Amino acid sequence: MMKTYNMLLLLAEILFVLLKVAYYICEDVYKLIVPTKKKSVAGEIVLITGAGHGIGKELAIGYASLGATVVCWDINDESNNETMSVIKKMGKDPVYAYRCNVADEEEVFRVAEKVKKEVGDVTILVNNAGIGIIKLFLNHSRDEIQRVMNVNATAHFWTLKAFLPSMIEKNHGHIVALSSIAGLIGAPYGTVYCPTKSAVKAIMEAVSEEFRIFSNGKSDIKFSTIYPGLVHTGMVKKSKFRFPWLMSGHSPREAALLIIDAQRRNYENITLPPYWLPLCNMIRTLPGKARKCILDFLDPRIYPDD
């Protein structure tokens, strides 16, 4: 009797889970038709790494224009101060600029403490800093491999350790991390870059799931992972796509506006363009030979500079 009861209980639980899954699928479809309302970022303290150029610079400008207090971090003092100057000329204040090498653990914690004293507790952290070296694996020096790993992946641990505690204390905050479509599907000449961007995806998934489980779903700290495709920042100088419209490139400003939009709508994962996420997920479920067949048909190619 007890065995039958337990079996019925399990079947009821499975049915309930299936109903919830169906509901959440419908919810996501609905959000595609009627997007979630954007939350305000006015008054938030937004820290952006790699704010001296490219997407980071445009993110800083974008958040400042929405009324946020912007904190710019970059290893290049000159370009970082230039970003701050552009924002001040817009009449948007306060804005701050700090030199910080995010790959240096001690420097991250030292500058983070300075930010806390001079600006306040960071409520939106945008881990944007990244470097890419496009070349054959055997042509990479050991120093290049270490540098790309440290900036693109390991640095996320240091910034999270530095800024999450205050978010936990207030139960308020948002972590945004820039991965890449190259982190979803490996590619030639990306044997160092692609793994670092896959690591960003894994870090964000693990940390956000940890928060969900240990807070019993009560944490108000949000996590958004962004997977840009081709962004015209100068990192990729030579590329070829059989169907260019599939990988329509974005300017840094266009990418930044889409990233800010995703953060304000609390999207957990989004690719730029958005259709690449379901496409990549579908391709990953296929057998190896079938996956390679599709990639050969699409023929996306990035070429090294050397």
Side-chain angles (χ1 to χ4, degrees):
M1 186 73 175
M2 183 60 71
K3 188 176 180 180
T4 303
Y5 173 78
N6 287 337
M7 184 60 71
L8 289 172
L9 200 63
L10 177 61
L11 288 172
E13 190 175 352
I14 291 170
L15 179 61
F16 183 59
V17 169
L18 291 174
L19 287 171
K20 284 174 73 175
V21 168
Y23 170 80
Y24 291 134
I25 290 172
C26 292
E27 184 182 58
D28 272 9
V29 171
Y30 175 78
K31 286 179 181 178
L32 288 174
I33 302 168
V34 184
T36 308
K37 185 180 177 182
K38 298 179 188 179
K39 63 185 180 184
S40 172
V41 294
E44 302 282 0
I45 298 178
V46 184
L47 188 146
I48 300 157
T49 66
H53 64 285
I55 298 174
K57 180 177 182 177
E58 296 297 337
L59 284 168
I61 294 168
Y63 275 112
S65 68
L66 292 170
T69 295
V70 173
V71 180
C72 303
W73 273 19
D74 202 283
I75 195 170
N76 186 316
D77 248 338
E78 186 178 347
S79 61
N80 203 35
N81 286 327
E82 173 60 27
T83 299
M84 180 173 67
S85 296
V86 169
I87 292 171
K88 285 186 173 181
K89 285 175 183 175
M90 292 165 51
K92 301 296 181 180
D93 220 9
V95 56
Y96 303 84
Y98 296 86
R99 184 200 178 279
C100 185
N101 176 10
V102 293
D104 185 327
E105 176 187 357
E106 291 183 4
E107 189 168 329
V108 167
F109 289 109
R110 183 174 67 252
V111 182
E113 190 60 32
K114 193 174 181 183
V115 169
K116 184 172 183 177
K117 289 178 181 176
E118 296 178 359
V119 186
D121 290 325
V122 170
T123 54
I124 300 175
L125 169 64
V126 185
N127 278 319
N128 161 76
I131 54 176
I133 301 171
I134 302 168
K135 60 169 61 176
L136 286 168
F137 173 67
L138 292 178
N139 289 346
H140 274 286
S141 69
R142 287 180 294 178
D143 178 68
E144 285 174 341
I145 293 171
Q146 192 68 59
R147 189 154 53 92
V148 174
M149 290 296 295
N150 285 342
V151 174
N152 290 8
T154 310
H156 287 247
F157 292 117
W158 312 144
T159 55
L160 287 171
K161 292 281 282 185
F163 297 112
L164 266 177
S166 63
M167 294 184 188
I168 294 169
E169 187 179 333
K170 296 178 178 180
N171 194 28
H172 173 75
H174 203 132
I175 307 294
V176 181
L178 267 68
S179 178
S180 169
I181 288 178
L184 299 174
I185 297 181
Y189 309 115
T191 47
V192 177
Y193 182 77
C194 293
T196 65
K197 292 304 183 178
S198 293
V200 171
K201 175 181 182 292
I203 291 167
M204 290 290 283
E205 284 182 353
V207 174
S208 61
E209 185 64 6
E210 194 170 279
F211 269 67
R212 186 183 73 84
I213 294 297
F214 290 104
S215 71
N216 292 316
K218 295 178 182 178
S219 174
D220 272 340
I221 299 170
K222 308 300 182 184
F223 295 84
S224 297
T225 309
I226 316 296
Y227 306 87
L230 182 63
V231 181
H232 303 298
T233 59
M235 187 180 80
V236 175
K237 295 180 176 63
K238 293 184 285 185
S239 62
K240 179 180 77 71
F241 302 98
R242 182 177 182 184
F243 305 105
W245 55 270
L246 265 179
M247 188 57 80
S248 53
H250 294 92
S251 70
R253 184 174 184 276
E254 290 169 339
L257 291 176
L258 290 169
I259 292 164
I260 293 171
D261 183 82
Q263 180 268 316
R264 294 182 66 197
R265 295 185 194 276
N266 291 330
Y267 290 160
E268 291 182 13
N269 294 278
I270 187 169
T271 53
L272 308 178
Y275 51 75
W276 269 99
L277 186 58
L279 183 60
C280 288
N281 287 338
M282 180 196 73
I283 291 173
R284 293 300 304 180
T285 62
L286 297 173
K289 289 182 179 179
R291 183 168 66 247
K292 290 168 187 173
C293 181
I294 290 176
L295 290 174
D296 286 345
F297 171 73
L298 296 175
D299 196 27
R301 294 185 184 274
I302 303 293
Y303 298 100
D305 299 329
D306 55 0

